[in-house]
Every structure is written in C-alpha cells, then in structure tokens.
Amino acid sequence: EAQVTQNPRYLITVTGKKLTVTCSQNMNHEYMSWYRQDPGLGLRQIYYSMNVEVTDKGDVPEGYKVSRKEKRNFPLILESPSPNQTSLYFCASSLDRGPNTEAFFGQGTRLTVV
Amino acid sequence: GNSVTQMEGPVTLSEEAFLTINCTYTATGYPSLFWYVQYPGEGLQLLLKATKADDKGSNKGFEATYRKETTSFHLEKGSVQVSDSAVYFCALSDREGRDDKIIFGKGTRLHILP
C-alpha cells in the first residue's frame, strides 16, 4: 500500500531534549516536506527536499533541521525543543515538483514540549 | 506573494443540506488548485483538483470549478452526510523557481448534524 509513515504519532518531551520524528515513503517520490499545523494558522511549511541531499527552508524553519540521505526517508530533527514547537506535524511527499502533482500526507505527529 | 483565503469555520449543517465553502486565491502565474480533506485523527488527503481555468474537479459528490475571472475555487456538495464532517483545506501549487511548495488556506471545519 502506498503510504507516508511518520513515527511517533504522539510525543511528550521536555525543553531542550533533542528529538527526531521519522518520515518514510514507499512511493519512490522525489519531493518531501514537513509542515506544522496550528489552530488559526493552518499548515506552514518547515523544510522541503527536492531529492537526495537537496533540502531547503520553508516558511518556518527556525529551530528545526532535516536531512535527506536516502530517497525514502526525511527525518525532522529538533535539536533543542521549546514549548513554542508544541504542534501537530505532518510529513508529505509527491512524485516531483510539477504544479499538478498531488501531495500524500502522513498521519501526523502530535508533539508536546513542556 | 501567492496566497489562499477560505471562509472561516466552523460550519454546521444538517444532513442533506447544500454545502458551499468559499475559497479565493492570489497568484502571479497560473497555479493548480486543490481541495484537501482532513478527517479526525488523520493526515490530509486530496479530495479534488483543477489544473487550469474553467476546469471542474469532482470526487465523492464534491465539486469545485477553477474560476480565473473571480480567482475562486469554491467547494460545493448538493447533499452532505454525517461522514463529511472534517476539516477542508483549499490549496494552490506554487512551484515556480525556488518556491517549491503547496500553499494552504487555514482550513474550514465542517460539522454535519444527523
């Protein structure tokens, strides 16, 4: 089954403790991205990657890192999480960067930083 | 820059009522337009799309027509069901040059009462 898999689904952590949210897709998609969803703000893009070893900042990259060492994986790293990073995070992938291309989303990771 | 504006929710309707969720966009080029739906506890999934002016996207009884003259892509359904309760996101593709992302509206929560 074609899918985007994120782990964990839920995470509670303390300020400053490094964490990684994993994202994997099995569709051989080139393009992957991370979003955060906050009430009243909709979805905002954090980082995106057009292919292996190619990443770029989205609208809200501060406090986050990503890597794309393999085509299927695109982990999101919070080196020193803070409470303002409490949010619902989504990973998405699409076949390429064409304007008509559908994005496939993971089920989300709800992160709470205390 | 490009942007998407959709009506704020929540929208509450009775089953079998007619639904319209308004969406307008601002774009410099000729974007593709999308409606995504997010069911409770899940990620976003594509509902329908339209890639050029006057195109009509349709799926699961929902329709939306790409209106370039009014820069709109309103979502409609003739008879809603309880199972349509979800958050709906209007989006456009912005993939020219280095701006490689989908721009989402803030979402409209829909409640359908039995």
Side-chain angles (χ1 to χ4, degrees), chain A residues 29-70:
Chain A
H29 284 172
E30 288 187 355
Y31 185 90
M32 298 184 75
S33 57
W34 276 102
Y35 294 86
R36 59 178 290 173
Q37 183 180 14
D38 302 289
L41 297 176
L43 279 91
R44 295 178 291 169
Q45 192 180 50
I46 302 169
Y47 268 94
Y48 62 93
S49 168
M50 287 183 279
N51 214 325
V52 175
E53 302 292 2
V54 181
T55 64
D56 212 341
K57 296 177 180 179
D59 297 318
V60 288
E62 295 78 20
Y64 305 94
K65 286 175 57 177
V66 292
S67 69
R68 188 91 182 272
K69 293 184 170 54
E70 306 165 281

Side-chain angles (χ1 to χ4, degrees), chain B:
Chain B
N2 296 354
S3 65
V4 174
T5 303
Q6 60 182 106
M7 62 188 292
E8 293 191 21
V11 173
T12 302
L13 295 172
S14 297
E15 204 165 23
E16 299 184 2
F18 184 86
L19 168 71
T20 300
I21 300 178
N22 290 336
C23 172
T24 57
Y25 68 91
T26 302
T28 52
Y30 300 94
S32 293
L33 301 174
F34 305 84
W35 277 100
Y36 282 82
V37 59
Q38 182 181 27
Y39 297 105
E42 298 184 12
L44 282 72
Q45 55 187 274
L46 181 67
L47 179 60
L48 53 85
K49 70 178 183 182
T51 59
K52 60 183 187 297
D54 299 325
D55 267 3
K56 178 187 283 188
S58 61
N59 186 25
K60 298 181 180 180
F62 290 89
E63 293 183 341
T65 301
Y66 190 142
R67 302 280 188 206
K68 191 169 182 295
E69 63 276 14
T70 55
T71 62
S72 65
F73 193 55
H74 304 322
L75 183 67
E76 296 182 337
K77 186 174 185 182
S79 177
V80 293
Q81 307 300 313
V82 172
S83 58
D84 294 327
S85 298
V87 182
Y88 293 81
F89 291 89
C90 185
L92 65 80
S93 68
D94 179 11
R95 296 193 178 192
E96 296 179 5
R98 288 186 61 79
D99 284 335
D100 225 31
K101 61 188 175 186
I102 300 172
I103 298 173
F104 290 91
K106 292 185 178 181
T108 302
R109 185 174 297 277
L110 176 64
H111 293 292
I112 305 300
L113 304 175

